[in-house]
Every structure is written in structure tokens, then in C-alpha cells.
Amino acid sequence: MLQTSADAPHFAAGAHRIREERGYKGLFFSRLRKDIAAAKKNDPAARNKFEIWLTYSGVHALSWHRWANRLYRMHLKLLARMTSQFAKFLTGIEIHPAARIAPGVFIDHGAGVVIGETAEVEEGVVIYQGVTLGGTGKEKGKRHPTIRKNAVISCGAKVLGGFTVGEGARIGAGAVVLKEVPPYATVVGVPGRVVRINGEKTQDLLPDKDDPILREVCSLRERIYELEDRLETVCGRLSRDEDAAKRGDAADHADVAGISEQNEVKPDENL
């Protein structure tokens, strides 16, 4: 049966979809290989790539996310959310379908990891269990962080807001990061503070003057200094009073001894 000119656009569209699907499959497996290589590089407990593919929940979660992200971009948003929730049930890792995650990201252990809708994670990033890449309110637009290449987000860290965590930065375990992090910086504490840049110790860059925790610590430190001064004064007074009491006891003892000698009865020599 000969192809008519009217059918040509339909055949062209079908061929384009087939090529696109083949390209996606190739891209999917290419990204999967990068995810497995990242796990092998960053986890000393990983023995081989086949074991990683079978057992690593972080690799599974990223694979499911790529399929959910494709559905989301095809405007099948409900199906995309259902896919992400199913992946959460399987892996314990919740990634919004709209989040942009590059290949070569490693999510270690992964339990409790949450990645928000507008978050962006670049290649080489390592994320440990309990990490949240979230927002700070109900605002629209960009409200989740961007994590640059080769950054490390340690277990339990919370990165909240639409700012950037610089390339090679390290976020300490349990830190709560609320402002931008420079490249190759180390951040620890609640709220997060920069303590190192390029491996060199540094004070926090422009710390917030209205930090309530900092104010409380300074107040407690001043109170301790004041109490130490008062304690030193009281101890000095007690020491002087004790010395005076000792000198008084010695004088009283000497007076008593003198009176006893005077009152002592001498024997009669004529007897």
C-alpha cells in the first residue's frame, strides 16, 4: 500500500517519537552507569557495580526519579507524583519529580532524604541519610537550594532556602544552613557557620548580629566572669577573716597562759 502525502506528517511524527524514545533509553542507561560509578567511588564498602545496582537504595531512587521527572515534563504530573511516592515507599527517599538532579550523584544509605521541587543537584554531590533540601516558607518560584559540583551534605543536615551551596563545599552533620555557602567552605552548627575555607580556619563570614543564640552565649559568658569576680572577692574576705581569727586565738591563748603563771602558788621555803 503506497504512502500518500497526507499520511507523511503522521509517519514523520511517529519516527521522531521512536528516535526520541531510543535516545531516552540510551541516556537513561548512561546516567545509571554514572550513578553506579559515583557510588563505587564514594563508598569504600561497595565491592562491585553489580552489587550496587542490586542493593543500593540511593541508586534505585535516582532511577525512579528520572522516570518520574520525564513524566512530569510530559505534563503527566499526577502520574509523576504517584511514581515518586512509590519510589519513596521502596527506598525511603522522597524526591519531587520536578527536582533537577544530574547524573553521578551519590545518595548514601538514603533513609529520610527529602529533595524539594525547585532543588538542583549537580554532578559529584554526595548526600547522606536524613538530609533535607527544602524551603523556608510558602513562597512561589525558586525556594529550594542549588548544590554545586562535588559538595558533600552530611547526615541530618538541613539546607533550607533558594540559595547556592558552592562547589566542593562540605556541610557538617546536623547543620541547619540558612544562607549561601562559598565554594570549598566547611559549615557546621545551628544555625550553620563557615569555619573553614579551602581547609584554612576562619571566623564566620559576617555573622548575624541579631543571632539569638550568639547573644545568649555572650550574656552567659559575661555572667560567668561577674560571678568569678564576686567569688574571688568573697574568698579573699574569708581568708582574711580566718587569718585574723587565728591571730586572735593565739593572743587569747598567750594571755591565758600568762594569767595562769601569775596565779600559780609558790611553795613556802620556811617549811
Side-chain angles (χ1 to χ4, degrees), residues 53-89:
W53 177 65
L54 282 180
T55 63
Y56 276 52
S57 59
V59 173
H60 300 162
L62 291 172
S63 297
W64 279 106
H65 168 70
R66 299 219 166 84
W67 173 243
N69 181 256
R70 178 174 172 81
L71 294 173
Y72 194 89
R73 289 186 286 107
M74 293 170 62
H75 301 288
L76 300 174
K77 295 184 178 181
L78 176 59
L79 188 57
R81 290 304 301 268
M82 292 173 63
T83 302
S84 69
Q85 292 302 304
F86 179 69
K88 174 187 174 183
F89 172 76

PDB file of all heavy atoms in Angstrom, residues 53-89:
ATOM      1  N   TRP A  53      24.093  -1.988  41.903  1.00  0.00           N
ATOM      2  CA  TRP A  53      22.862  -1.920  41.113  1.00  0.00           C
ATOM      3  C   TRP A  53      21.721  -2.679  41.790  1.00  0.00           C
ATOM      4  O   TRP A  53      20.575  -2.247  41.754  1.00  0.00           O
ATOM      5  CB  TRP A  53      23.130  -2.478  39.723  1.00  0.00           C
ATOM      6  CG  TRP A  53      21.903  -2.508  38.850  1.00  0.00           C
ATOM      7  CD1 TRP A  53      21.187  -1.448  38.398  1.00  0.00           C
ATOM      8  CD2 TRP A  53      21.261  -3.677  38.345  1.00  0.00           C
ATOM      9  NE1 TRP A  53      20.135  -1.875  37.627  1.00  0.00           N
ATOM     10  CE2 TRP A  53      20.152  -3.236  37.572  1.00  0.00           C
ATOM     11  CE3 TRP A  53      21.514  -5.048  38.457  1.00  0.00           C
ATOM     12  CZ2 TRP A  53      19.297  -4.132  36.933  1.00  0.00           C
ATOM     13  CZ3 TRP A  53      20.665  -5.932  37.797  1.00  0.00           C
ATOM     14  CH2 TRP A  53      19.573  -5.473  37.049  1.00  0.00           C
ATOM     15  N   LEU A  54      22.049  -3.782  42.456  1.00  0.00           N
ATOM     16  CA  LEU A  54      21.012  -4.605  43.077  1.00  0.00           C
ATOM     17  C   LEU A  54      20.561  -4.065  44.436  1.00  0.00           C
ATOM     18  O   LEU A  54      19.376  -4.161  44.764  1.00  0.00           O
ATOM     19  CB  LEU A  54      21.521  -6.043  43.255  1.00  0.00           C
ATOM     20  CG  LEU A  54      21.529  -6.949  42.030  1.00  0.00           C
ATOM     21  CD1 LEU A  54      22.069  -8.317  42.402  1.00  0.00           C
ATOM     22  CD2 LEU A  54      20.128  -7.074  41.426  1.00  0.00           C
ATOM     23  N   THR A  55      21.464  -3.502  45.217  1.00  0.00           N
ATOM     24  CA  THR A  55      21.166  -3.290  46.637  1.00  0.00           C
ATOM     25  C   THR A  55      21.171  -1.838  47.110  1.00  0.00           C
ATOM     26  O   THR A  55      20.721  -1.575  48.231  1.00  0.00           O
ATOM     27  CB  THR A  55      22.187  -4.066  47.498  1.00  0.00           C
ATOM     28  OG1 THR A  55      23.507  -3.540  47.267  1.00  0.00           O
ATOM     29  CG2 THR A  55      22.165  -5.549  47.158  1.00  0.00           C
ATOM     30  N   TYR A  56      21.654  -0.888  46.330  1.00  0.00           N
ATOM     31  CA  TYR A  56      21.806   0.481  46.826  1.00  0.00           C
ATOM     32  C   TYR A  56      20.528   1.278  46.591  1.00  0.00           C
ATOM     33  O   TYR A  56      20.144   1.557  45.448  1.00  0.00           O
ATOM     34  CB  TYR A  56      23.001   1.164  46.159  1.00  0.00           C
ATOM     35  CG  TYR A  56      24.310   0.852  46.837  1.00  0.00           C
ATOM     36  CD1 TYR A  56      24.702  -0.466  47.090  1.00  0.00           C
ATOM     37  CD2 TYR A  56      25.173   1.863  47.251  1.00  0.00           C
ATOM     38  CE1 TYR A  56      25.896  -0.758  47.726  1.00  0.00           C
ATOM     39  CE2 TYR A  56      26.370   1.586  47.885  1.00  0.00           C
ATOM     40  CZ  TYR A  56      26.724   0.266  48.122  1.00  0.00           C
ATOM     41  OH  TYR A  56      27.916  -0.003  48.748  1.00  0.00           O
ATOM     42  N   SER A  57      19.876   1.666  47.702  1.00  0.00           N
ATOM     43  CA  SER A  57      18.602   2.378  47.589  1.00  0.00           C
ATOM     44  C   SER A  57      18.772   3.747  46.942  1.00  0.00           C
ATOM     45  O   SER A  57      17.854   4.242  46.279  1.00  0.00           O
ATOM     46  CB  SER A  57      17.976   2.534  48.974  1.00  0.00           C
ATOM     47  OG  SER A  57      18.840   3.246  49.842  1.00  0.00           O
ATOM     48  N   GLY A  58      19.920   4.385  47.140  1.00  0.00           N
ATOM     49  CA  GLY A  58      20.145   5.683  46.513  1.00  0.00           C
ATOM     50  C   GLY A  58      20.152   5.600  44.999  1.00  0.00           C
ATOM     51  O   GLY A  58      19.587   6.461  44.303  1.00  0.00           O
ATOM     52  N   VAL A  59      20.773   4.561  44.464  1.00  0.00           N
ATOM     53  CA  VAL A  59      20.785   4.357  43.010  1.00  0.00           C
ATOM     54  C   VAL A  59      19.374   4.070  42.507  1.00  0.00           C
ATOM     55  O   VAL A  59      18.937   4.597  41.478  1.00  0.00           O
ATOM     56  CB  VAL A  59      21.753   3.216  42.643  1.00  0.00           C
ATOM     57  CG1 VAL A  59      21.663   2.878  41.161  1.00  0.00           C
ATOM     58  CG2 VAL A  59      23.185   3.600  43.015  1.00  0.00           C
ATOM     59  N   HIS A  60      18.638   3.249  43.241  1.00  0.00           N
ATOM     60  CA  HIS A  60      17.256   2.948  42.849  1.00  0.00           C
ATOM     61  C   HIS A  60      16.398   4.206  42.847  1.00  0.00           C
ATOM     62  O   HIS A  60      15.613   4.440  41.918  1.00  0.00           O
ATOM     63  CB  HIS A  60      16.656   1.916  43.805  1.00  0.00           C
ATOM     64  CG  HIS A  60      17.389   0.618  43.825  1.00  0.00           C
ATOM     65  ND1 HIS A  60      17.253  -0.300  44.845  1.00  0.00           N
ATOM     66  CD2 HIS A  60      18.285   0.085  42.967  1.00  0.00           C
ATOM     67  CE1 HIS A  60      18.017  -1.344  44.602  1.00  0.00           C
ATOM     68  NE2 HIS A  60      18.665  -1.136  43.469  1.00  0.00           N
ATOM     69  N   ALA A  61      16.544   5.039  43.885  1.00  0.00           N
ATOM     70  CA  ALA A  61      15.739   6.257  43.990  1.00  0.00           C
ATOM     71  C   ALA A  61      16.019   7.208  42.835  1.00  0.00           C
ATOM     72  O   ALA A  61      15.088   7.826  42.287  1.00  0.00           O
ATOM     73  CB  ALA A  61      16.015   6.945  45.325  1.00  0.00           C
ATOM     74  N   LEU A  62      17.275   7.345  42.449  1.00  0.00           N
ATOM     75  CA  LEU A  62      17.612   8.226  41.338  1.00  0.00           C
ATOM     76  C   LEU A  62      17.048   7.702  40.016  1.00  0.00           C
ATOM     77  O   LEU A  62      16.590   8.488  39.176  1.00  0.00           O
ATOM     78  CB  LEU A  62      19.132   8.392  41.247  1.00  0.00           C
ATOM     79  CG  LEU A  62      19.777   9.185  42.389  1.00  0.00           C
ATOM     80  CD1 LEU A  62      21.286   9.119  42.304  1.00  0.00           C
ATOM     81  CD2 LEU A  62      19.303  10.639  42.362  1.00  0.00           C
ATOM     82  N   SER A  63      17.063   6.397  39.836  1.00  0.00           N
ATOM     83  CA  SER A  63      16.493   5.820  38.610  1.00  0.00           C
ATOM     84  C   SER A  63      14.996   6.068  38.548  1.00  0.00           C
ATOM     85  O   SER A  63      14.455   6.467  37.492  1.00  0.00           O
ATOM     86  CB  SER A  63      16.794   4.318  38.555  1.00  0.00           C
ATOM     87  OG  SER A  63      18.191   4.083  38.500  1.00  0.00           O
ATOM     88  N   TRP A  64      14.306   5.831  39.647  1.00  0.00           N
ATOM     89  CA  TRP A  64      12.871   6.112  39.693  1.00  0.00           C
ATOM     90  C   TRP A  64      12.606   7.597  39.479  1.00  0.00           C
ATOM     91  O   TRP A  64      11.629   7.978  38.798  1.00  0.00           O
ATOM     92  CB  TRP A  64      12.283   5.667  41.032  1.00  0.00           C
ATOM     93  CG  TRP A  64      11.989   4.204  41.117  1.00  0.00           C
ATOM     94  CD1 TRP A  64      12.691   3.257  41.800  1.00  0.00           C
ATOM     95  CD2 TRP A  64      10.906   3.511  40.498  1.00  0.00           C
ATOM     96  NE1 TRP A  64      12.124   2.024  41.650  1.00  0.00           N
ATOM     97  CE2 TRP A  64      11.014   2.151  40.852  1.00  0.00           C
ATOM     98  CE3 TRP A  64       9.854   3.905  39.667  1.00  0.00           C
ATOM     99  CZ2 TRP A  64      10.121   1.179  40.407  1.00  0.00           C
ATOM    100  CZ3 TRP A  64       8.958   2.951  39.212  1.00  0.00           C
ATOM    101  CH2 TRP A  64       9.090   1.602  39.582  1.00  0.00           C
ATOM    102  N   HIS A  65      13.453   8.456  40.031  1.00  0.00           N
ATOM    103  CA  HIS A  65      13.247   9.890  39.870  1.00  0.00           C
ATOM    104  C   HIS A  65      13.371  10.306  38.410  1.00  0.00           C
ATOM    105  O   HIS A  65      12.617  11.181  37.941  1.00  0.00           O
ATOM    106  CB  HIS A  65      14.256  10.668  40.714  1.00  0.00           C
ATOM    107  CG  HIS A  65      14.281  12.129  40.379  1.00  0.00           C
ATOM    108  ND1 HIS A  65      13.247  12.984  40.673  1.00  0.00           N
ATOM    109  CD2 HIS A  65      15.219  12.887  39.722  1.00  0.00           C
ATOM    110  CE1 HIS A  65      13.534  14.197  40.239  1.00  0.00           C
ATOM    111  NE2 HIS A  65      14.720  14.164  39.666  1.00  0.00           N
ATOM    112  N   ARG A  66      14.282   9.707  37.683  1.00  0.00           N
ATOM    113  CA  ARG A  66      14.444  10.105  36.280  1.00  0.00           C
ATOM    114  C   ARG A  66      13.191   9.767  35.466  1.00  0.00           C
ATOM    115  O   ARG A  66      12.792  10.521  34.582  1.00  0.00           O
ATOM    116  CB  ARG A  66      15.685   9.425  35.710  1.00  0.00           C
ATOM    117  CG  ARG A  66      16.932   9.850  36.475  1.00  0.00           C
ATOM    118  CD  ARG A  66      18.131  10.053  35.612  1.00  0.00           C
ATOM    119  NE  ARG A  66      19.136  10.764  36.398  1.00  0.00           N
ATOM    120  CZ  ARG A  66      19.993  10.179  37.228  1.00  0.00           C
ATOM    121  NH1 ARG A  66      19.982   8.875  37.351  1.00  0.00           N
ATOM    122  NH2 ARG A  66      20.857  10.895  37.915  1.00  0.00           N
ATOM    123  N   TRP A  67      12.597   8.642  35.785  1.00  0.00           N
ATOM    124  CA  TRP A  67      11.339   8.298  35.104  1.00  0.00           C
ATOM    125  C   TRP A  67      10.226   9.251  35.537  1.00  0.00           C
ATOM    126  O   TRP A  67       9.451   9.741  34.703  1.00  0.00           O
ATOM    127  CB  TRP A  67      10.975   6.855  35.396  1.00  0.00           C
ATOM    128  CG  TRP A  67       9.622   6.445  34.883  1.00  0.00           C
ATOM    129  CD1 TRP A  67       8.560   6.040  35.604  1.00  0.00           C
ATOM    130  CD2 TRP A  67       9.207   6.409  33.512  1.00  0.00           C
ATOM    131  NE1 TRP A  67       7.494   5.750  34.784  1.00  0.00           N
ATOM    132  CE2 TRP A  67       7.863   5.963  33.493  1.00  0.00           C
ATOM    133  CE3 TRP A  67       9.836   6.709  32.298  1.00  0.00           C
ATOM    134  CZ2 TRP A  67       7.133   5.818  32.314  1.00  0.00           C
ATOM    135  CZ3 TRP A  67       9.107   6.568  31.119  1.00  0.00           C
ATOM    136  CH2 TRP A  67       7.781   6.127  31.128  1.00  0.00           C
ATOM    137  N   ALA A  68      10.144   9.560  36.829  1.00  0.00           N
ATOM    138  CA  ALA A  68       9.119  10.498  37.316  1.00  0.00           C
ATOM    139  C   ALA A  68       9.331  11.884  36.720  1.00  0.00           C
ATOM    140  O   ALA A  68       8.361  12.571  36.367  1.00  0.00           O
ATOM    141  CB  ALA A  68       9.160  10.554  38.843  1.00  0.00           C
ATOM    142  N   ASN A  69      10.587  12.311  36.600  1.00  0.00           N
ATOM    143  CA  ASN A  69      10.882  13.619  36.023  1.00  0.00           C
ATOM    144  C   ASN A  69      10.476  13.694  34.554  1.00  0.00           C
ATOM    145  O   ASN A  69       9.957  14.718  34.085  1.00  0.00           O
ATOM    146  CB  ASN A  69      12.375  13.916  36.179  1.00  0.00           C
ATOM    147  CG  ASN A  69      12.768  15.262  35.619  1.00  0.00           C
ATOM    148  OD1 ASN A  69      13.362  15.351  34.537  1.00  0.00           O
ATOM    149  ND2 ASN A  69      12.442  16.322  36.338  1.00  0.00           N
ATOM    150  N   ARG A  70      10.659  12.600  33.844  1.00  0.00           N
ATOM    151  CA  ARG A  70      10.229  12.556  32.438  1.00  0.00           C
ATOM    152  C   ARG A  70       8.710  12.677  32.340  1.00  0.00           C
ATOM    153  O   ARG A  70       8.183  13.427  31.511  1.00  0.00           O
ATOM    154  CB  ARG A  70      10.710  11.263  31.783  1.00  0.00           C
ATOM    155  CG  ARG A  70      10.266  11.111  30.327  1.00  0.00           C
ATOM    156  CD  ARG A  70      10.910   9.883  29.708  1.00  0.00           C
ATOM    157  NE  ARG A  70      10.356   9.622  28.391  1.00  0.00           N
ATOM    158  CZ  ARG A  70      10.730  10.250  27.283  1.00  0.00           C
ATOM    159  NH1 ARG A  70      11.655  11.192  27.336  1.00  0.00           N
ATOM    160  NH2 ARG A  70      10.190   9.927  26.113  1.00  0.00           N
ATOM    161  N   LEU A  71       8.004  11.966  33.204  1.00  0.00           N
ATOM    162  CA  LEU A  71       6.544  12.073  33.216  1.00  0.00           C
ATOM    163  C   LEU A  71       6.108  13.497  33.565  1.00  0.00           C
ATOM    164  O   LEU A  71       5.149  14.025  32.981  1.00  0.00           O
ATOM    165  CB  LEU A  71       5.952  11.085  34.224  1.00  0.00           C
ATOM    166  CG  LEU A  71       6.126   9.598  33.911  1.00  0.00           C
ATOM    167  CD1 LEU A  71       5.631   8.756  35.082  1.00  0.00           C
ATOM    168  CD2 LEU A  71       5.390   9.221  32.634  1.00  0.00           C
ATOM    169  N   TYR A  72       6.805  14.120  34.497  1.00  0.00           N
ATOM    170  CA  TYR A  72       6.457  15.482  34.905  1.00  0.00           C
ATOM    171  C   TYR A  72       6.637  16.453  33.745  1.00  0.00           C
ATOM    172  O   TYR A  72       5.800  17.339  33.537  1.00  0.00           O
ATOM    173  CB  TYR A  72       7.337  15.885  36.089  1.00  0.00           C
ATOM    174  CG  TYR A  72       6.868  17.107  36.823  1.00  0.00           C
ATOM    175  CD1 TYR A  72       5.967  17.004  37.878  1.00  0.00           C
ATOM    176  CD2 TYR A  72       7.323  18.383  36.471  1.00  0.00           C
ATOM    177  CE1 TYR A  72       5.533  18.130  38.565  1.00  0.00           C
ATOM    178  CE2 TYR A  72       6.891  19.512  37.147  1.00  0.00           C
ATOM    179  CZ  TYR A  72       5.996  19.368  38.194  1.00  0.00           C
ATOM    180  OH  TYR A  72       5.567  20.490  38.866  1.00  0.00           O
ATOM    181  N   ARG A  73       7.719  16.306  32.993  1.00  0.00           N
ATOM    182  CA  ARG A  73       7.965  17.183  31.860  1.00  0.00           C
ATOM    183  C   ARG A  73       6.991  16.922  30.708  1.00  0.00           C
ATOM    184  O   ARG A  73       6.801  17.785  29.850  1.00  0.00           O
ATOM    185  CB  ARG A  73       9.410  17.028  31.381  1.00  0.00           C
ATOM    186  CG  ARG A  73      10.413  17.639  32.359  1.00  0.00           C
ATOM    187  CD  ARG A  73      11.836  17.640  31.857  1.00  0.00           C
ATOM    188  NE  ARG A  73      12.432  16.307  31.889  1.00  0.00           N
ATOM    189  CZ  ARG A  73      12.676  15.569  30.824  1.00  0.00           C
ATOM    190  NH1 ARG A  73      12.361  16.006  29.614  1.00  0.00           N
ATOM    191  NH2 ARG A  73      13.232  14.369  30.945  1.00  0.00           N
ATOM    192  N   MET A  74       6.394  15.742  30.684  1.00  0.00           N
ATOM    193  CA  MET A  74       5.357  15.428  29.703  1.00  0.00           C
ATOM    194  C   MET A  74       3.978  15.900  30.180  1.00  0.00           C
ATOM    195  O   MET A  74       2.969  15.591  29.545  1.00  0.00           O
ATOM    196  CB  MET A  74       5.326  13.913  29.451  1.00  0.00           C
ATOM    197  CG  MET A  74       6.572  13.390  28.758  1.00  0.00           C
ATOM    198  SD  MET A  74       6.638  11.573  28.740  1.00  0.00           S
ATOM    199  CE  MET A  74       5.151  11.198  27.789  1.00  0.00           C
ATOM    200  N   HIS A  75       3.934  16.624  31.302  1.00  0.00           N
ATOM    201  CA  HIS A  75       2.710  17.162  31.894  1.00  0.00           C
ATOM    202  C   HIS A  75       1.794  16.066  32.432  1.00  0.00           C
ATOM    203  O   HIS A  75       0.602  16.297  32.610  1.00  0.00           O
ATOM    204  CB  HIS A  75       1.956  18.037  30.884  1.00  0.00           C
ATOM    205  CG  HIS A  75       2.777  19.190  30.386  1.00  0.00           C
ATOM    206  ND1 HIS A  75       3.073  20.289  31.168  1.00  0.00           N
ATOM    207  CD2 HIS A  75       3.397  19.391  29.190  1.00  0.00           C
ATOM    208  CE1 HIS A  75       3.826  21.130  30.468  1.00  0.00           C
ATOM    209  NE2 HIS A  75       4.039  20.616  29.278  1.00  0.00           N
ATOM    210  N   LEU A  76       2.367  14.907  32.730  1.00  0.00           N
ATOM    211  CA  LEU A  76       1.633  13.844  33.418  1.00  0.00           C
ATOM    212  C   LEU A  76       1.989  13.929  34.906  1.00  0.00           C
ATOM    213  O   LEU A  76       2.606  13.030  35.477  1.00  0.00           O
ATOM    214  CB  LEU A  76       2.000  12.481  32.832  1.00  0.00           C
ATOM    215  CG  LEU A  76       1.708  12.308  31.336  1.00  0.00           C
ATOM    216  CD1 LEU A  76       2.258  10.977  30.834  1.00  0.00           C
ATOM    217  CD2 LEU A  76       0.216  12.404  31.064  1.00  0.00           C
ATOM    218  N   LYS A  77       1.602  15.035  35.522  1.00  0.00           N
ATOM    219  CA  LYS A  77       2.099  15.366  36.848  1.00  0.00           C
ATOM    220  C   LYS A  77       1.554  14.439  37.932  1.00  0.00           C
ATOM    221  O   LYS A  77       2.265  14.099  38.871  1.00  0.00           O
ATOM    222  CB  LYS A  77       1.781  16.826  37.163  1.00  0.00           C
ATOM    223  CG  LYS A  77       2.517  17.787  36.239  1.00  0.00           C
ATOM    224  CD  LYS A  77       2.276  19.234  36.615  1.00  0.00           C
ATOM    225  CE  LYS A  77       3.061  20.162  35.691  1.00  0.00           C
ATOM    226  NZ  LYS A  77       2.868  21.594  36.037  1.00  0.00           N
ATOM    227  N   LEU A  78       0.293  14.042  37.808  1.00  0.00           N
ATOM    228  CA  LEU A  78      -0.256  13.130  38.804  1.00  0.00           C
ATOM    229  C   LEU A  78       0.463  11.791  38.756  1.00  0.00           C
ATOM    230  O   LEU A  78       0.840  11.234  39.805  1.00  0.00           O
ATOM    231  CB  LEU A  78      -1.753  12.935  38.568  1.00  0.00           C
ATOM    232  CG  LEU A  78      -2.442  11.921  39.495  1.00  0.00           C
ATOM    233  CD1 LEU A  78      -2.283  12.330  40.955  1.00  0.00           C
ATOM    234  CD2 LEU A  78      -3.906  11.757  39.123  1.00  0.00           C
ATOM    235  N   LEU A  79       0.677  11.278  37.562  1.00  0.00           N
ATOM    236  CA  LEU A  79       1.395  10.013  37.424  1.00  0.00           C
ATOM    237  C   LEU A  79       2.832  10.144  37.924  1.00  0.00           C
ATOM    238  O   LEU A  79       3.377   9.214  38.539  1.00  0.00           O
ATOM    239  CB  LEU A  79       1.370   9.559  35.961  1.00  0.00           C
ATOM    240  CG  LEU A  79       1.905   8.162  35.656  1.00  0.00           C
ATOM    241  CD1 LEU A  79       1.151   7.104  36.456  1.00  0.00           C
ATOM    242  CD2 LEU A  79       1.810   7.868  34.160  1.00  0.00           C
ATOM    243  N   ALA A  80       3.419  11.314  37.688  1.00  0.00           N
ATOM    244  CA  ALA A  80       4.781  11.551  38.164  1.00  0.00           C
ATOM    245  C   ALA A  80       4.831  11.535  39.690  1.00  0.00           C
ATOM    246  O   ALA A  80       5.736  10.930  40.289  1.00  0.00           O
ATOM    247  CB  ALA A  80       5.292  12.888  37.634  1.00  0.00           C
ATOM    248  N   ARG A  81       3.850  12.183  40.340  1.00  0.00           N
ATOM    249  CA  ARG A  81       3.824  12.185  41.800  1.00  0.00           C
ATOM    250  C   ARG A  81       3.564  10.788  42.355  1.00  0.00           C
ATOM    251  O   ARG A  81       4.127  10.398  43.383  1.00  0.00           O
ATOM    252  CB  ARG A  81       2.752  13.157  42.312  1.00  0.00           C
ATOM    253  CG  ARG A  81       3.078  14.618  42.081  1.00  0.00           C
ATOM    254  CD  ARG A  81       4.414  15.017  42.687  1.00  0.00           C
ATOM    255  NE  ARG A  81       4.476  14.799  44.112  1.00  0.00           N
ATOM    256  CZ  ARG A  81       4.173  15.700  45.032  1.00  0.00           C
ATOM    257  NH1 ARG A  81       3.764  16.912  44.663  1.00  0.00           N
ATOM    258  NH2 ARG A  81       4.280  15.428  46.318  1.00  0.00           N
ATOM    259  N   MET A  82       2.714  10.037  41.695  1.00  0.00           N
ATOM    260  CA  MET A  82       2.467   8.661  42.133  1.00  0.00           C
ATOM    261  C   MET A  82       3.740   7.833  42.030  1.00  0.00           C
ATOM    262  O   MET A  82       4.050   7.028  42.919  1.00  0.00           O
ATOM    263  CB  MET A  82       1.348   8.050  41.292  1.00  0.00           C
ATOM    264  CG  MET A  82      -0.027   8.678  41.528  1.00  0.00           C
ATOM    265  SD  MET A  82      -1.281   8.083  40.368  1.00  0.00           S
ATOM    266  CE  MET A  82      -1.319   6.336  40.797  1.00  0.00           C
ATOM    267  N   THR A  83       4.494   8.055  40.958  1.00  0.00           N
ATOM    268  CA  THR A  83       5.771   7.331  40.788  1.00  0.00           C
ATOM    269  C   THR A  83       6.757   7.700  41.894  1.00  0.00           C
ATOM    270  O   THR A  83       7.431   6.837  42.467  1.00  0.00           O
ATOM    271  CB  THR A  83       6.374   7.650  39.412  1.00  0.00           C
ATOM    272  OG1 THR A  83       5.450   7.284  38.387  1.00  0.00           O
ATOM    273  CG2 THR A  83       7.687   6.903  39.216  1.00  0.00           C
ATOM    274  N   SER A  84       6.850   8.992  42.217  1.00  0.00           N
ATOM    275  CA  SER A  84       7.788   9.418  43.256  1.00  0.00           C
ATOM    276  C   SER A  84       7.388   8.868  44.625  1.00  0.00           C
ATOM    277  O   SER A  84       8.252   8.495  45.428  1.00  0.00           O
ATOM    278  CB  SER A  84       7.868  10.947  43.298  1.00  0.00           C
ATOM    279  OG  SER A  84       6.665  11.514  43.782  1.00  0.00           O
ATOM    280  N   GLN A  85       6.100   8.798  44.896  1.00  0.00           N
ATOM    281  CA  GLN A  85       5.648   8.251  46.173  1.00  0.00           C
ATOM    282  C   GLN A  85       5.880   6.738  46.245  1.00  0.00           C
ATOM    283  O   GLN A  85       6.199   6.200  47.308  1.00  0.00           O
ATOM    284  CB  GLN A  85       4.171   8.569  46.387  1.00  0.00           C
ATOM    285  CG  GLN A  85       3.885  10.042  46.613  1.00  0.00           C
ATOM    286  CD  GLN A  85       4.636  10.587  47.811  1.00  0.00           C
ATOM    287  OE1 GLN A  85       4.530  10.085  48.924  1.00  0.00           O
ATOM    288  NE2 GLN A  85       5.412  11.646  47.583  1.00  0.00           N
ATOM    289  N   PHE A  86       5.730   6.071  45.126  1.00  0.00           N
ATOM    290  CA  PHE A  86       6.035   4.635  45.095  1.00  0.00           C
ATOM    291  C   PHE A  86       7.525   4.408  45.341  1.00  0.00           C
ATOM    292  O   PHE A  86       7.917   3.500  46.090  1.00  0.00           O
ATOM    293  CB  PHE A  86       5.615   4.047  43.744  1.00  0.00           C
ATOM    294  CG  PHE A  86       5.909   2.584  43.610  1.00  0.00           C
ATOM    295  CD1 PHE A  86       5.208   1.644  44.363  1.00  0.00           C
ATOM    296  CD2 PHE A  86       6.896   2.128  42.739  1.00  0.00           C
ATOM    297  CE1 PHE A  86       5.472   0.287  44.246  1.00  0.00           C
ATOM    298  CE2 PHE A  86       7.165   0.776  42.615  1.00  0.00           C
ATOM    299  CZ  PHE A  86       6.456  -0.150  43.372  1.00  0.00           C
ATOM    300  N   ALA A  87       8.357   5.255  44.739  1.00  0.00           N
ATOM    301  CA  ALA A  87       9.803   5.158  44.969  1.00  0.00           C
ATOM    302  C   ALA A  87      10.137   5.448  46.430  1.00  0.00           C
ATOM    303  O   ALA A  87      11.019   4.813  47.021  1.00  0.00           O
ATOM    304  CB  ALA A  87      10.539   6.127  44.050  1.00  0.00           C
ATOM    305  N   LYS A  88       9.433   6.395  47.039  1.00  0.00           N
ATOM    306  CA  LYS A  88       9.637   6.682  48.455  1.00  0.00           C
ATOM    307  C   LYS A  88       9.292   5.460  49.305  1.00  0.00           C
ATOM    308  O   LYS A  88      10.001   5.141  50.271  1.00  0.00           O
ATOM    309  CB  LYS A  88       8.777   7.872  48.863  1.00  0.00           C
ATOM    310  CG  LYS A  88       8.795   8.189  50.350  1.00  0.00           C
ATOM    311  CD  LYS A  88       7.783   9.267  50.689  1.00  0.00           C
ATOM    312  CE  LYS A  88       7.700   9.479  52.194  1.00  0.00           C
ATOM    313  NZ  LYS A  88       6.667  10.480  52.553  1.00  0.00           N
ATOM    314  N   PHE A  89       8.202   4.776  48.962  1.00  0.00           N
ATOM    315  CA  PHE A  89       7.805   3.572  49.699  1.00  0.00           C
ATOM    316  C   PHE A  89       8.879   2.491  49.588  1.00  0.00           C
ATOM    317  O   PHE A  89       9.169   1.784  50.560  1.00  0.00           O
ATOM    318  CB  PHE A  89       6.477   3.052  49.143  1.00  0.00           C
ATOM    319  CG  PHE A  89       6.055   1.719  49.697  1.00  0.00           C
ATOM    320  CD1 PHE A  89       5.533   1.613  50.978  1.00  0.00           C
ATOM    321  CD2 PHE A  89       6.195   0.570  48.936  1.00  0.00           C
ATOM    322  CE1 PHE A  89       5.166   0.378  51.490  1.00  0.00           C
ATOM    323  CE2 PHE A  89       5.822  -0.663  49.448  1.00  0.00           C
ATOM    324  CZ  PHE A  89       5.305  -0.755  50.726  1.00  0.00           C
TER     325      PHE A  89
END
